[in-house]
Amino acid sequence: MPLTIVVTAKQVLDPETPPSALQIDPSRKRMVGPANVPPVVNGFDENAVEAALRIKDALGASNVKITVLSAGKSFVLDVIKKPLAMGADELVLVQDDACENLDAFQTARVLAAAIKSMGTVDLVLCGRQASDWDQAQVPLAIAEFLGLPCVHITRKVEVKDGTVVVERVVPDGAEVIQVPLPAVITVSNELGQPRYPTLRGIMASTRKQPIIRKLADLGLNPADLKPKVELLDLYIPVRQKKCEFISGDNDEEKGRNLARRLREAKLI
Amino acid sequence: MPGVLVFAELADGGLASISKELFSAGRPLAQALGEPLCTFIPAEKGGEVAKEAGALGADRVYVAEHPLLREPHPDYHLIALERAVQQVRPSVVLLGKTPLGINVGPRLAFRLGVGVAQDVVALKIEGDALIAERPVYGGNAMARVALREKPFVATVRPKAFEPLDPTPGRTAPVQAIPVAIEPAAVKVKVLERKKVEATGIRLEDARVVVGGGRGLGGPEPFQQLEELARLLGGAVGASRAVCDAGWLPYQYQIGLTGKTITADLYIAVAISGASQHMAGVSTVKNIVAINKDADAPIFQEARFGVVGDWKKVLPAFTDEVRKLLQQ
């Protein structure tokens, strides 16, 4: 039996979109970018895919199976298939209209039910948080719902003798932690850059079709997925600060004038 | 009775700054609910800290003492907090958005079958609900959310509230909460701690911070930033792009997923000011930006700005600072 890894992934608004191009859609209470900017796979989720691929590299391709799992109302297939192009084996999408407005708690319920339906899963890897709602809750909730131990925010993940050994990022360094499998681990950008899909990977991914599941397939009823955290309002805060630009005939003079101005303002 | 329960964390033998801020955040909620402001102190020894909590405004103090609570192990602290919540049955549980709080808070909430408002900067009670405001989309927008099932659990962003000053002589009743922790039942085992030796002033504590961004083009220019920081008695920080590129270790990262600084003066060199970086400097009153792009978002947050090439601006600025400081 190969080691089974599930990596959760979310399709998000591209966080590199310039703030000036962002708008709020009040009816959906969502941030929207320009129509010509495609969404991306959440960056931390790509770090989690990379962590899974490194385990596959270390243990041998045939000894590890990586399933990428996402939930949502609709997907841009070319985007959400990127982890397949990076080297993951399989993509499962819980695609259901009722997945449009789930909060973290209910998203985790859906993902946990999907993971349960897969049978034996040894390791669940998640990005530390999603760059849209920045909640950092879903992985912890998956762990609670599945009754699994969890280590949150790691920079290194290795599988050894039925355990996972990770480095958890803490303010003054890292903790080396060992947990027996199965476990839930969240991955941060300190892990390092996710690999780029190779041409071969992209070709292989175009042939793979996602496995689509509905909430009913997972034994879930949309009526039971009422959010625990109700979103009342979303707004872009007004910035009131006015910047005093330092003038000068050239850049060097501006630099000297800046120092004098800061002295005047008693800041240095 | 029940109460607003602050999950206290310790630093250097006393209450951590974030915990003092939580008393500020929790006091108006306790008033609105007509319930006491309580705190829960999980620690190896909690006696002195319990007194400090009383002076800072806690009406009731609960202490769980256990040798295993010396280290900030999330699983041990979750066991302790779950026990405290069973006993106190609070209406609200407040934690800091700290490495411990972001683990313990959500997991407590999910075990109790309730939601959690994470990383909040404002809180109030409205009718039967807790209303919280939290930055989302990397700080580009704010969300107002409601929790309607008790206990309301929230983690609060550090520096979002001013810590209260202690009232000398003010005391609060202290009650011990017995906690049993069975280490064998906790699957998460810490094998080793890899500490990065801190050199100089801690970024979080520095009064002056000089930050560098992707626009510096490589690791070498940080020597110039170091020189300026040394001159001003400050510390050097960086944007996430700099750390992701490997120019500086992650200990230097300022931002949403890095450190939050509280400096009086932040000099940002070649930093565009992406909102996820600005989340780490949101309490800095005096931001100075040096950037060649006049449209860079950093200028919207800055008090003073120079539009120019840092390679020319920075050395002239540093020399002038040196001269002024010698006068």
Side-chain angles (χ1 to χ4, degrees), chain A residues 179-195:
Chain A
V179 193
L181 296 174
V184 177
I185 306 292
T186 81
V187 180
S188 188
N189 57 298
E190 285 90 338
L191 181 103
Q193 296 287 352
R195 66 194 64 186

Side-chain angles (χ1 to χ4, degrees), chain A residues 211-228:
Chain A
I211 300 162
I212 309 283
R213 297 248 189 277
K214 294 279 164 197
L215 289 178
D217 303 335
L218 303 173
L220 293 169
N221 180 353
D224 298 335
L225 298 175
K226 233 178 98 208
K228 298 280 182 184

Side-chain angles (χ1 to χ4, degrees), chain A residues 40-74:
Chain A
V40 295
V41 173
N42 175 44
F44 295 118
D45 297 344
E46 285 194 6
N47 293 125
V49 172
E50 175 62 30
L53 291 170
R54 288 184 192 176
I55 293 169
K56 197 174 173 99
D57 292 343
L59 299 184
S62 58
N63 296 323
V64 178
K65 181 185 171 195
I66 302 172
T67 301
V68 174
L69 170 65
S70 190
K73 183 188 175 188
S74 57

